[in-house]
Amino acid sequence: MNISSNNHVAQNMLPIAQACAITFQGNASNNLQQDAFFFLDNWYQEDLGVMAVTSVELPFCLAVSDGVASSNYSQHCSKAIVKTISRLWDNKKKLTSEGIHQLINRAKHSSRRHGAAATLAMIVGELNSDGTINATITHVGDSRVYWLPKGDSQWQCLTRDHNLLNELIDQQAEEQGRQAEFADYNREGMAGSLYSITECFALTTDDSYTSSEAPESISRTIEINSGDYILVCTDGIHDLVPSHDWQTVSAETDLQGWLITLKNQVYDSEGDAYDNGTAILVRFD
């Protein structure tokens, strides 16, 4: 996407996209909402809701965080992540997994929340000096970012899950003397032992944060064009409804209606919405 005006300050005030988010608790066995998300200028952790369609200006940030269900306190970790993103964003600080890790673990957390864990998928959109728009994708764990370039019919997953299955795929490729293809990763199927995540944020309750390492994260940057779509979501979405089963989108698509249909697909799936689900859909003008 190229913005032709020479006044880049003014450009940042121009809406360049429309975005909408949906979140739901689903039929999670622990009866908790452990998803949280950051949407443009605020963070949220809600049991159920679909946002109004909102205009997006540059720069922008969208993120989802999914508490790892093995801890009944992981909703506090996902909330801490999106609150930290909000704090960094408000202060115009660079958003990195290292920075998020350091801030969430400098806070004093209740001892019972020690080890509560969560994932992250985040997109930051910025204007380049040549008028093009870059989107930087950062993720930890198995929350994902998908991209549908203008004119394409199939969503592309931009993130490689940090899980045991993908590690095994890398190991097998190394043993065979080759590089794993991206298409080998993120195989479909409902969560099982091989889908256990290997990287996540975790809360600490003492000074151990000073020696703890930030989780491994992967970042990549793509150029955004008019007519592209981005979807940021937790595994409660993509585990139960693979991207090839999502409804088509176009310039006329009702973003709210599309997300509600996706939620209904999750409930109608074989997994019957066994997990929390959160998704943010963006259409670039």
Side-chain angles (χ1 to χ4, degrees):
M1 179 184 291
N2 189 283
I3 300 178
S4 58
S5 168
N6 290 324
N7 186 343
H8 283 176
V9 175
Q11 293 163 16
N12 284 17
M13 301 304 293
L14 295 173
I16 51 91
Q18 301 290 313
C20 189
I22 193 167
T23 189
F24 49 92
Q25 182 173 309
N27 295 319
S29 59
N30 58 13
N31 294 314
L32 295 172
Q33 170 56 293
Q34 296 186 313
D35 282 5
F37 65 100
F38 179 79
F39 187 85
L40 299 177
D41 59 5
N42 210 345
W43 65 270
Y44 303 86
Q45 189 169 56
E46 309 289 341
D47 290 342
L48 174 65
V50 58
M51 302 192 75
V53 176
T54 305
S55 294
V56 178
E57 299 171 353
L58 289 168
F60 69 87
C61 176
L62 302 164
V64 300
S65 181
D66 179 8
V68 179
S70 57
S71 166
N72 281 344
Y73 296 100
S74 289
Q75 68 271 22
H76 299 288
C77 187
S78 58
K79 181 166 66 175
I81 290 170
V82 295
K83 287 177 71 174
T84 298
I85 290 171
S86 182
R87 177 180 171 185
L88 290 168
W89 188 250
D90 287 346
N91 290 311
K92 296 179 171 55
K93 302 293 187 181
K94 187 174 178 63
L95 291 172
T96 66
S97 60
E98 175 69 34
I100 295 168
H101 164 78
Q102 292 295 332
L103 279 184
I104 65 173
N105 284 304
R106 285 175 186 166
K108 294 185 180 297
H109 303 288
S110 167
S111 60
R112 63 185 178 181
R113 298 175 186 173
H114 183 84
T119 67
L120 171 68
M122 176 174 64
I123 174 173
V124 174
E126 298 174 297
L127 183 68
N128 295 322
S129 59
D130 62 0
T132 59
I133 296 174
N134 273 355
T136 300
I137 313 298
T138 302
H139 88 285
V140 175
D142 58 2
S143 291
R144 295 182 184 175
V145 178
Y146 289 85
W147 178 36
L148 184 66
K150 181 180 180 180
D152 284 9
S153 59
Q154 181 61 53
W155 290 85
Q156 302 176 25
C157 185
L158 299 180
T159 52
R160 169 199 176 278
D161 294 350
H162 293 102
N163 64 22
L164 290 174
L165 182 57
N166 286 340
E167 285 195 357
L168 289 173
I169 290 170
D170 282 336
Q171 179 181 330
Q172 183 182 52
E174 183 178 357
E175 291 171 351
Q176 295 173 351
R178 62 178 179 86
Q179 186 75 29
E181 299 289 338
F182 193 86
D184 295 336
Y185 299 129
N186 301 349
R187 294 178 181 174
E188 295 176 6
M190 291 186 294
S193 58
L194 287 178
Y195 292 83
S196 298
I197 63 172
T198 54
E199 295 291 335
C200 58
F201 291 93
L203 300 183
T204 57
T205 57
D206 51 35
D207 291 338
S208 64
Y209 81 86
T210 58
S211 60
S212 64
E213 293 184 0
E216 177 186 338
S217 65
I218 301 175
S219 294
R220 65 179 297 185
T221 300
I222 62 171
E223 183 177 320
I224 294 294
N225 294 295
S226 177
D228 289 357
Y229 290 80
I230 291 283
L231 187 92
V232 189
C233 66
T234 60
D235 67 339
I237 300 291
H238 63 73
D239 271 357
L240 301 185
V241 186
S243 60
H244 57 72
D245 289 334
W246 298 350
Q247 297 292 305
T248 58
V249 288
S250 70
E252 291 73 38
T253 297
D254 174 2
L255 301 187
Q256 274 191 330
W258 192 92
L259 288 171
I260 291 170
T261 296
L262 181 60
K263 183 204 74 170
N264 291 338
Q265 287 179 278
V266 171
Y267 275 91
D268 292 340
S269 69
E270 181 183 349
D272 189 27
Y274 64 69
D275 195 5
N276 313 145
T278 302
I280 304 173
L281 178 64
V282 190
R283 175 174 58 212
F284 291 89
D285 298 330

